[in-house]
Amino acid sequence: MSVLKSVATACVLAVATHASSLGQSLIRDTEIEHMLRDYADPVLDAAGLQPADVDLYIVADPTLNAFVTGGQNIFLHTGIILESETPNQLIGVIAHEAGHISGAHLARVGDGITAAQAPMFVSLGLGVLAALAGEGGAAGALLASSQQFGALSFMTYSRAQEASADQAGLQFLEASGQSAEGLVQFFERFRYQEVMSNARRYPYFRSHPLSSERIANLRGGATESPYYETEDSAEEMARLARIQAKIYGFLAEPEFVFYRYPESDQSLPARYARAVAYYHDARLDRALEEILSLLEEEPENPYFHELHGQMLFESGHAADAIAPHREAVELEPTAPLLRVNLAIAMIATEDVAYQEEAAQHLRVALDIEPDNGFAWYQLSIIHERNGDTALAQLAIAEQSYAAGNRPRAHQFATRARAELEVGTPAWVRATEIEAVSLPTASELRQIRRQQRRN
């Protein structure tokens, strides 16, 4: 059995089209991630945290929720992004969650996200394909089931912790020169949740219980800030609107998208949403018409080029997808997911002329995101095509280790180490993975049972 066929059996594959088909899943998208980092980093810096040490995760779920868990990890449901009326409201929520991190409110809670921290990801069409099945079929690698993610949001904070996070959030917003009015507005919009039964509340307000007293205290503190009347710029409002349209276009059924963004609406967000909805509705001509109109308006927008390339690639036109994906990379060269997109298109053509360039894009992406298991998997495809079986096995070891699959990482690192030249960087890396992923006795028994079955 080849290394690629072997690893294919370990991947859980699911076509990622609508959130309803996947339940709660993590998604990756460069455009959305950049916006959220722009929102979060000043707040995290003001909190005395290292922004690079705080991971932001986007959960494909329309319910209103955000939470922190597993140390310095902030999870934001797409529902909370869609429900935010202004950037300041969303920033306020992030500031509150940063308050929970800085207050060490999770110190007494067990770490429940071992699986969720695996750096594999789901693609809902949001910017990057998550996996290839081995025969060229695009699919999303399911990171975690809805049951696993349900376990992540079990935390219910005490009133004291909520008050502490509120006050900390106010301090972080003021220290970063931002208004706290958005946070107050957000809570006031959902004040009615206070009188609802716990079962009927949004998930966010089950773990972050509201009270009139709490909101009053929050407003009192917010109005004392010299930045209280600072408003979001028109540019930031427009940016949030297009992100919301993009999310809605990908996660809602096309008929709902067309109702919310009818043809009579020729705004940029509406065309963005319809481009995605037409594509999901198998109306490629209309989808391309919309995305090309967006590119005509903003020819240097890397995310429009990315979406154009994705449409072509997923429609079976891998060679045609290369040019728009290449343009996206040239416009945003530090975005690893854009480079992975380009590499995928090149690999799918099976044209040897593209292999070295594809490998280089994957290496750059891995320099930025060394735990991107999917990029390692794609690199293994190139190594095997080049006849470098040992390097392919090492790449699979890297992928498995990144995904938290220690027994598999050990298995492939051992194979790679046996075939690599002693003392080379690849041999040293295989030795490291082999050592740190040594299986337990029970895991060894499972491996042996699996080997006997095969």
Side-chain angles (χ1 to χ4, degrees):
M1 179 183 290
S2 75
V3 63
L4 297 184
K5 291 293 184 182
S6 175
V7 76
T9 64
C11 294
V12 181
L13 298 174
V15 177
T17 53
H18 305 296
S20 60
S21 66
L22 288 178
Q24 289 176 302
S25 306
L26 295 187
I27 57 176
R28 297 291 310 273
D29 176 72
T30 301
E31 184 178 17
I32 301 173
E33 289 175 0
H34 280 186
M35 183 190 76
L36 292 178
R37 293 267 35 144
D38 288 345
Y39 288 179
D41 286 1
V43 171
L44 297 171
D45 189 59
L49 302 169
Q50 292 294 325
D53 293 338
V54 180
D55 291 321
L56 302 178
Y57 295 92
I58 308 166
V59 183
D61 191 303
T63 60
L64 201 73
N65 204 8
F67 53 94
V68 296
T69 191
Q72 300 187 52
N73 302 282
I74 299 177
F75 289 77
L76 297 165
H77 282 207
T78 51
I80 211 163
I81 300 175
L82 292 173
E83 284 289 342
S84 296
E85 296 176 332
T86 65
N88 190 236
Q89 290 185 7
L90 186 53
I91 293 169
V93 171
I94 293 172
H96 176 88
E97 298 306 318
H100 284 304
I101 294 176
S102 68
H105 295 164
L106 297 172
R108 294 178 297 278
V109 179
D111 183 1
I113 64 162
T114 301
Q117 290 197 53
M120 296 174 66
F121 48 84
V122 170
S123 167
L124 291 170
L126 294 172
V128 62
L129 295 170
L132 294 180
E135 290 76 28
L142 189 60
L143 172 64
S145 70
S146 58
Q147 290 86 353
Q148 287 173 310
F149 269 99
L152 296 184
S153 53
F154 72 96
M155 167 68 76
T156 298
Y157 299 105
S158 69
R159 289 186 178 183
Q161 288 175 327
E162 282 299 278
S164 172
D166 285 344
Q167 295 307 308
L170 292 177
Q171 294 174 18
F172 304 155
L173 290 166
E174 182 171 341
S176 58
Q178 301 183 82
S179 172
E181 183 178 14
L183 179 58
V184 179
Q185 289 175 342
F186 182 81
F187 285 157
E188 286 187 333
R189 284 174 57 203
F190 299 100
R191 182 190 292 267
Y192 65 89
Q193 294 275 310
E194 178 185 358
V195 298
M196 298 179 71
S197 66
N198 195 55
R200 296 179 59 200
R201 290 176 186 168
Y202 287 121
Y204 187 75
F205 297 111
R206 294 176 203 154
S207 57
H208 301 70
L210 278 178
S211 71
S212 297
E213 180 183 3
R214 178 187 169 196
I215 295 174
N217 290 337
L218 191 60
R219 176 167 288 284
T223 55
E224 293 176 0
S225 169
Y227 304 105
Y228 180 69
E229 295 183 358
T230 302
E231 297 182 352
D232 293 301
S233 67
E235 291 76 15
E236 279 303 316
M237 291 289 289
R239 184 187 191 187
L240 177 61
R242 74 169 61 186
I243 292 295
Q244 289 172 328
K246 182 179 190 178
I247 292 173
Y248 197 77
F250 275 111
L251 301 186
E253 295 291 341
E255 58 264 33
F256 294 117
V257 179
F258 297 138
Y259 179 80
R260 182 167 175 169
Y261 298 100
E263 287 288 346
S264 58
D265 185 350
Q266 287 298 306
S267 66
L268 188 147
R271 285 179 287 148
Y272 206 1
R274 288 198 301 271
V276 177
Y278 279 130
Y279 177 63
H280 280 174
D281 206 31
R283 297 158 72 179
L284 183 60
D285 290 346
R286 294 300 303 275
L288 291 174
E289 181 182 327
E290 294 283 14
I291 194 63
L292 291 175
S293 79
L294 294 171
L295 282 166
E296 185 176 354
E297 186 171 334
E298 294 187 7
E300 295 189 357
N301 186 314
Y303 314 118
F304 292 164
H305 287 287
E306 176 193 26
L307 181 57
H308 184 202
Q310 180 185 333
M311 288 177 177
L312 293 171
F313 178 83
E314 293 183 352
S315 299
H317 305 287
D320 294 334
I322 291 174
H325 279 314
R326 192 192 299 280
E327 186 68 21
V329 169
E330 290 176 357
L331 290 167
E332 191 66 74
T334 61
L337 302 186
L338 300 186
R339 289 185 180 271
V340 173
N341 276 342
L342 176 56
I344 290 171
M346 291 177 167
I347 293 169
T349 66
E350 299 187 2
D351 187 337
V352 295
Y354 288 125
Q355 285 193 172
E356 182 50 42
E357 184 181 354
Q360 182 59 30
H361 285 299
L362 291 171
R363 293 188 191 102
V364 172
L366 287 165
D367 283 342
I368 301 170
E369 283 189 358
D371 289 336
N372 189 321
F374 178 61
W376 283 116
Y377 173 51
Q378 295 303 309
L379 192 57
S380 75
I381 293 176
I382 295 175
H383 286 317
E384 179 152 299
R385 286 181 181 175
N386 290 336
D388 298 326
T389 303
L391 290 179
Q393 290 172 330
L394 178 57
I396 294 302
E398 293 276 16
Q399 181 222 22
S400 302
Y401 184 70
N405 190 335
R406 291 173 52 256
R408 190 171 188 79
H410 186 270
Q411 178 184 11
F412 278 95
T414 301
R415 292 181 186 177
R417 182 171 175 270
E419 297 181 24
L420 291 165
E421 183 179 347
V422 175
T424 60
W427 180 88
V428 171
R429 180 57 181 162
T431 303
E432 291 173 346
I433 296 176
E434 184 181 29
V436 299
S437 61
L438 186 66
T440 63
S442 63
E443 289 172 337
L444 280 172
R445 287 193 293 271
Q446 291 177 2
I447 291 172
R448 294 191 184 105
R449 283 196 295 269
Q450 182 64 38
Q451 289 173 338
R452 285 195 293 271
R453 283 196 292 267
N454 292 339

